[in-house]
Amino acid sequence: MKKDWRNVEKTFLELGIDYELKDWLYWCKVNDREFYYSPQKGKWKLKGSRAWQQSESTVDFINQAKNYSPPDRTKYQQKKTSKKSNSNNRKKKQSTRTKNQTGNNYDLREKFLYRFEQHLMIQRERNYKVGWIWRSLMSSFKLTVAEICWMSVVFDYSPWWAYYQIKNLGIHISHEEVFRIIDSNRNHWLRYFKSRWGGWNEEQSNNSNKSTNKTLPHKYHLEVLQLSFPFTKEELKSAYRIKSLETHPDTGGTAEAFRRVHDAYQILSKI
């Protein structure tokens, strides 16, 4: 073995090849390019390349290295760039779809307003409860975030109602964003509703005026616990215990209903 290593180095010296032994590999310079050579395996490669080439002897390796031209990777790079570009385009399209699904476009569709008007007319003619409108719409029409927020405004529901309805549709959006949509569009939506459909009847209008600023934001939570304002702490705790037992998964309820009860209690206990 020692004789073989000596022969390798002797060949390098005779041919004027700069070399250096690094562990079990030789680093050498051929035609101003750097190579690694393994005399044990009879293999060599260009520095920075992963592909090893086979050679029969040290002289054969040097001759191959002198004539070696790396493979053209231009097509590979173009293909890689093309894939990256396609991936970015897919991400942009997906981002656009997500924005449309989560209602970042806060314009109300005319198709939705037409459907809403139809249900409103039926509700007024047949004297149905207001809740019939949104239940019917949500069961027969694919609503956007903005349209659910619109209904919470015109029906005078809590923003939390809108948030939970949106969440039930599988749309991922924070409650802060829902509140922002409602706050920024409330006055405009109410003016439009009143100008197009004349608002609600007198009785609803009077009841709305009697509601205090303290109860309006928590109307949904009061409905969840079946409480009326004002209430005592004992009444709140009692309502929470009853609804917790009714909605707990172990007693036939669902995790979602139980969570709503818990959230309602946490929020109402702070007012």
Side-chain angles (χ1 to χ4, degrees), residues 30 84 125 139 194 236 240:
V30 180
K84 189 174 181 181
E125 288 174 5
S139 64
K194 191 171 182 180
L236 176 61
Y240 173 62

Side-chain angles (χ1 to χ4, degrees), residues 18-240:
D18 293 334
Y19 72 92
E20 182 181 340
L21 182 62
K22 294 187 176 183
D23 295 328
W24 296 97
L25 293 175
Y26 277 103
W27 167 89
C28 52
K29 203 168 184 179
V30 180
N31 289 352
D32 296 327
R33 290 190 297 179
E34 299 179 23
F35 294 87
Y36 288 112
Y37 175 59
S38 171
Q40 284 181 311
K41 297 181 179 180
K43 291 185 177 181
W44 60 274
K45 71 171 185 174
L46 181 69
K47 184 178 179 180
S49 172
R50 293 184 180 182
W52 288 87
Q53 311 291 332
Q54 191 71 40
S55 64
E56 296 179 358
S57 63
T58 308
V59 175
D60 182 40
F61 149 62
I62 294 171
N63 290 332
Q64 288 187 46
K66 287 179 178 179
N67 300 317
Y68 177 71
S69 61
D72 185 10
R73 297 180 62 84
T74 306
K75 291 184 179 179
Y76 172 77
Q77 292 294 343
Q78 289 176 348
K79 191 175 180 181
K80 189 175 180 181
T81 305
S82 178
K83 283 184 178 179
K84 189 174 181 181
S85 177
N86 292 336
S87 175
N88 290 336
N89 290 335
R90 282 195 299 271
K91 286 179 181 178
K92 286 180 182 178
K93 288 180 181 178
Q94 186 176 3
S95 175
T96 303
R97 284 197 300 270
T98 303
K99 286 182 179 180
N100 291 334
Q101 289 172 358
T102 56
N104 284 322
N105 179 8
Y106 302 140
D107 294 333
L108 300 171
R109 295 174 295 173
E110 190 59 38
K111 189 176 180 181
F112 160 74
L113 294 172
Y114 175 72
R115 286 282 190 95
F116 179 86
E117 183 173 41
Q118 286 182 318
H119 285 70
L120 181 63
M121 295 302 106
I122 295 172
Q123 181 266 335
R124 288 178 171 176
E125 288 174 5
R126 301 180 184 180
N127 201 26
Y128 289 159
K129 291 184 178 179
V130 173
W132 174 85
I133 298 175
W134 66 263
R135 287 190 184 94
S136 300
L137 279 171
M138 294 193 74
S139 64
S140 62
F141 194 67
K142 189 172 182 180
L143 299 171
T144 65
V145 169
E147 289 158 0
I148 295 174
C149 291
W150 148 275
M151 290 195 294
S152 76
V153 169
V154 299
F155 295 152
D156 198 20
Y157 288 168
S158 164
W160 285 101
W161 174 88
Y163 170 69
Y164 286 122
Q165 295 300 330
I166 293 165
K167 193 172 181 182
N168 287 339
L169 293 178
I171 299 174
H172 300 289
I173 186 172
S174 66
H175 69 272
E176 291 92 349
E177 180 67 10
V178 173
F179 289 5
R180 191 186 69 78
I181 296 170
I182 291 173
D183 290 341
S184 60
N185 291 281
R186 181 186 297 276
N187 293 335
H188 167 68
W189 284 345
L190 287 175
R191 282 196 301 269
Y192 179 83
F193 178 76
K194 191 171 182 180
S195 65
R196 182 164 177 174
W197 294 293
W200 300 106
N201 58 41
E202 193 65 28
E203 183 181 352
Q204 288 175 316
S205 179
N206 291 336
N207 290 338
S208 178
N209 290 334
K210 290 177 183 177
S211 298
T212 63
N213 291 331
K214 198 172 185 179
T215 43
L216 280 177
H218 305 294
K219 186 175 180 180
Y220 173 76
H221 303 108
L222 292 170
E223 290 174 357
V224 169
L225 294 179
Q226 294 183 353
L227 268 176
S228 58
F229 190 84
F231 54 83
T232 64
K233 289 185 177 180
E234 289 73 20
E235 289 173 337
L236 176 61
K237 290 179 180 179
S238 176
Y240 173 62

Side-chain angles (χ1 to χ4, degrees), residues 247-250 252-263:
T247 58
H248 198 282
D250 293 342
T254 63
E256 180 68 20
F258 183 74
R259 183 182 57 75
R260 291 182 187 179
V261 170
H262 178 72
D263 290 347

